[in-house]
Amino acid sequence: MAYGYFPGCSLKSSAKEYDLTVRAMAERFGVQLEEIGNWNCCGSTPAYAVSGEISLALPWNNLAQAEAQGLDKVLSPCPACHSHMSESHAVASGDRRLAARLDELCETSYGGKLELFHLLDFLHQEIGLDAIRAKVTHPLAGMRAACYYGCLTRMHALHVDDVELPVKMEQVVEACGGQAVDYSHRTECCGGSLVLSKIDTALRLSNEILEAAGRAGANCAVVVCPVCHGNLDMRQKAIEKKYKKRHRLPVLYLSQVVLLSQGVGAKALGFKKHFVKPGALLETVYTPIEEPKKKKKKKPAAGA
Amino acid sequence: MTEHESTAEQERNPHALRERILALSGEDVGRCIQCGKCTAGCPVAPDVQPTPNQVMQLIRMNDLETLMGASMFWYCSSCQTCTARCPMEIDIEAVMNTLRRLVLEAGGEPAEKDVATLNKVFLRSLRAHGRIFEFGVVMNRNLRTGKPLRDAMLGPAMFGKGKLGLRPHNVRQRKKIKRIIEKARRFERVEPGPPDAPGE
Ligand code: SF4
Ligand code: SF4
């Protein structure tokens, strides 16, 4: 069965490797993704900050398009897009007058029949942990992942996981043979788009997350959001400079983790696009066919 | 409601602000019990005044003046932690967003101009292309906030990784997107000038 696919603006630019690996992952599970034709930006926070109608109408237009395409399930890997789409979708069954107004604005009509998924509930509900486990050829022994949810579970239009104590990302990492560390900042905010306006606040928040992951002995962070990835990976150098601290913590998308456990190489995973190179991580995590140079240096965890 | 009307209303009715927020967001701040949970979990609260629970109290005190100059809701990252935890089930994040709109609607100067500028630049890009052109947004923001070299180091690195396109993606139906943005009701104009008369 074909799933509608809404990549969104970030996955078309700063988060290309997320787009690439979500598609590759779906293919490996035999899921066909069909991009929503001619999609437009969901409006994100700025549209919401300026007008309720604009921020509902922009996703509405995409939803109507997906429905017109004959799709009935839509996957959007970006939590922000997914949240805005879900808020808009809720209008279809909740507020008839507003729905009519959105139809009028968008010069189209949306019947509200779609089912919307973020990557995390897509993996759990549509693929399933068993199927993920069954496909593992290179168990990620040695991976100590700090799974980072940020504000994903708080978005009230979504019910991706438990609000305060989510587990779904950890479960996927463990299904791939990796280990998930327990740490304090799994659901703390990374600062989101504040990085473009209030950079000091955003760097402080992201630094706290990286530090907490480091204290817990993580050798990578795992995320399911292009904004989280941008703040933790792209800005990591700036964070290190500001706080005079060396983190060098590779940040992986969950889709990359799943593919990694299936033996997919660094090139196809888009690691070239990362700012913090996951090279050293790969040496510990990955079980290469030849030359097993497993250097297991046991470093005592800082602060222990 | 014009600026004058709302000020006059403010003086007559001691609950004007609370009622205005209720009308715009559906959230009744009057239910707040000042437990402070919203502030305790707020990631940006350490950097700003007034804090989220203080904002709630200022609304109840009908103190539009203090709120007009407040930073809190411009810093708000919309993480919804406060909303998820409020024991009185107030959607605090929606209240913060409503305050942003209120300040702009009343013609006030945002206390944190860079946030408002970013929003504006982002929407302009969206209106022009139908999608967000990240490079354009960053450059434009820099020009408008008078910090042309901000993120200058990041730019080339992003190009190198193929993460920033130089040319925008245009959506085929971008005329329609423009129409949606122009027809929709809003408080703030996307950019000054006659084609953008506010709705209603
Ligand atoms: S959490 Fe809710 S009740 Fe408590 S102070 Fe904040 S707004 Fe008021
Ligand atoms: S939504 Fe805004 S006010 Fe609420 S906790 Fe997050 S940053 Fe603070």
Side-chain angles (χ1 to χ4, degrees), chain A residues 257-288:
Chain A
V257 172
V258 172
L259 288 174
L260 200 58
S261 76
Q262 298 178 13
V264 176
K267 204 169 161 206
L269 291 174
F271 281 161
K272 255 202 346 237
K273 297 192 181 298
H274 287 219
F275 281 72
V276 181
K277 293 278 165 273
L281 171 75
L282 293 187
E283 276 181 32
T284 9
V285 162
Y286 206 59
T287 15

Side-chain angles (χ1 to χ4, degrees), chain A residues 133-169:
Chain A
R133 242 177 251 120
K135 281 241 187 257
V136 174
T137 52
H138 293 62
L140 304 176
M143 172 178 274
R144 293 188 307 278
C147 295
Y148 176 64
Y149 296 82
C151 61
L152 172 67
T153 63
R154 315 250 203 260
M155 299 184 167
H156 49 57
L158 317 180
H159 306 282
V160 173
D161 207 334
D162 188 88
V163 177
E164 302 286 354
L165 296 167
V167 289
K168 286 189 179 166
M169 236 195 280

Side-chain angles (χ1 to χ4, degrees), chain A residues 142-146 179-183 210-220 249 299-302:
Chain A
M143 172 178 274
R144 293 188 307 278
Q179 188 194 329
V181 304
D182 203 359
Y183 73 114
L210 292 170
E211 280 191 1
R215 281 194 298 272
N219 56 9
C220 64
L249 190 74
K299 266 195 195 162

Side-chain angles (χ1 to χ4, degrees), chain A residues 25-255:
Chain A
M25 192 193 75
E27 202 183 307
R28 281 177 165 255
F29 286 108
V31 173
Q32 198 196 327
L33 295 183
E34 187 181 322
E35 192 163 323
I36 298 178
N38 227 350
W39 56 268
N40 55 268
C41 170
C42 74
S44 194
T45 325
Y48 171 65
V50 165
S51 151
E53 278 197 356
I54 298 179
S55 78
L56 290 170
L58 292 171
W60 189 267
N61 195 44
N62 290 324
L63 293 168
Q65 171 62 33
E67 212 173 53
Q69 243 166 276
L71 297 162
D72 45 26
K73 295 183 173 188
V74 172
L75 166 65
S76 25
C78 170
C81 298
H82 180 50
S83 162
H84 286 112
M85 280 171 92
S86 301
E87 301 246 3
S88 187
H89 169 78
V91 173
S93 52
D95 186 339
R96 279 233 168 134
R97 258 185 50 204
L98 187 52
R101 168 73 179 153
L102 295 177
D103 275 346
E104 177 200 324
L105 276 173
C106 298
E107 303 154 22
T108 177
S109 87
Y110 174 55
K113 290 197 200 73
L114 295 176
E115 206 183 331
L116 308 177
F117 294 87
H118 172 255
L119 182 71
L120 211 48
D121 36 31
F122 175 77
L123 275 172
H124 274 259
Q125 288 169 37
E126 306 295 296
I127 307 277
L129 289 175
D130 287 339
I132 296 173
R133 242 177 251 120
K135 281 241 187 257
V136 174
T137 52
H138 293 62
L140 304 176
M143 172 178 274
R144 293 188 307 278
C147 295
Y148 176 64
Y149 296 82
C151 61
L152 172 67
T153 63
R154 315 250 203 260
M155 299 184 167
H156 49 57
L158 317 180
H159 306 282
V160 173
D161 207 334
D162 188 88
V163 177
E164 302 286 354
L165 296 167
V167 289
K168 286 189 179 166
M169 236 195 280
E170 280 85 353
Q171 288 173 343
V172 172
V173 167
E174 279 159 12
C176 295
Q179 188 194 329
V181 304
D182 203 359
Y183 73 114
S184 52
H185 280 54
R186 298 192 306 146
T187 60
E188 301 286 326
C189 173
C190 71
S193 59
L194 276 185
V195 78
L196 291 172
S197 47
K198 294 290 164 206
I199 187 147
D200 285 338
T201 297
L203 293 185
R204 171 175 68 76
L205 294 171
S206 295
N207 180 55
E208 282 168 14
I209 295 157
L210 292 170
E211 280 191 1
R215 281 194 298 272
N219 56 9
C220 64
V222 179
V223 300
V224 286
C225 168
V227 183
C228 297
H229 196 271
N231 285 353
L232 297 180
D233 176 62
M234 203 187 339
R235 307 274 171 178
Q236 202 173 116
K237 227 182 187 164
I239 293 168
E240 290 180 335
K241 204 171 150 207
K242 181 163 187 216
Y243 291 93
K244 301 194 173 46
K245 212 167 180 163
R246 217 181 127 94
H247 291 300
R248 300 297 140 84
L249 190 74
V251 186
L252 309 190
Y253 286 107
L254 190 61
S255 46

Side-chain angles (χ1 to χ4, degrees), chain B residues 4 7 19-20 51 60 71 80 135 154-156 161 182 190:
Chain B
H4 293 293
T7 324
E19 283 165 5
R20 185 98 181 98
T51 57
R60 287 218 296 207
S71 292
Q80 302 187 8
F135 178 66
L154 217 43
K161 294 181 187 297
E182 273 161 15
V190 174

Side-chain angles (χ1 to χ4, degrees), chain B residues 107-127:
Chain B
E109 270 285 287
E112 302 296 332
K113 283 194 213 70
D114 28 6
V115 180
T117 302
L118 177 69
N119 288 349
K120 225 180 247 181
V121 168
F122 184 102
L123 268 187
R124 274 166 47 120
S125 175
L126 171 54
R127 207 173 72 142

Side-chain angles (χ1 to χ4, degrees), chain B residues 37-56:
Chain B
K37 276 190 191 222
C38 47
T39 301
C42 176
V44 304
D47 294 348
V48 279
Q49 287 290 333
T51 57
N53 69 305
Q54 288 168 345
V55 166
M56 298 295 133

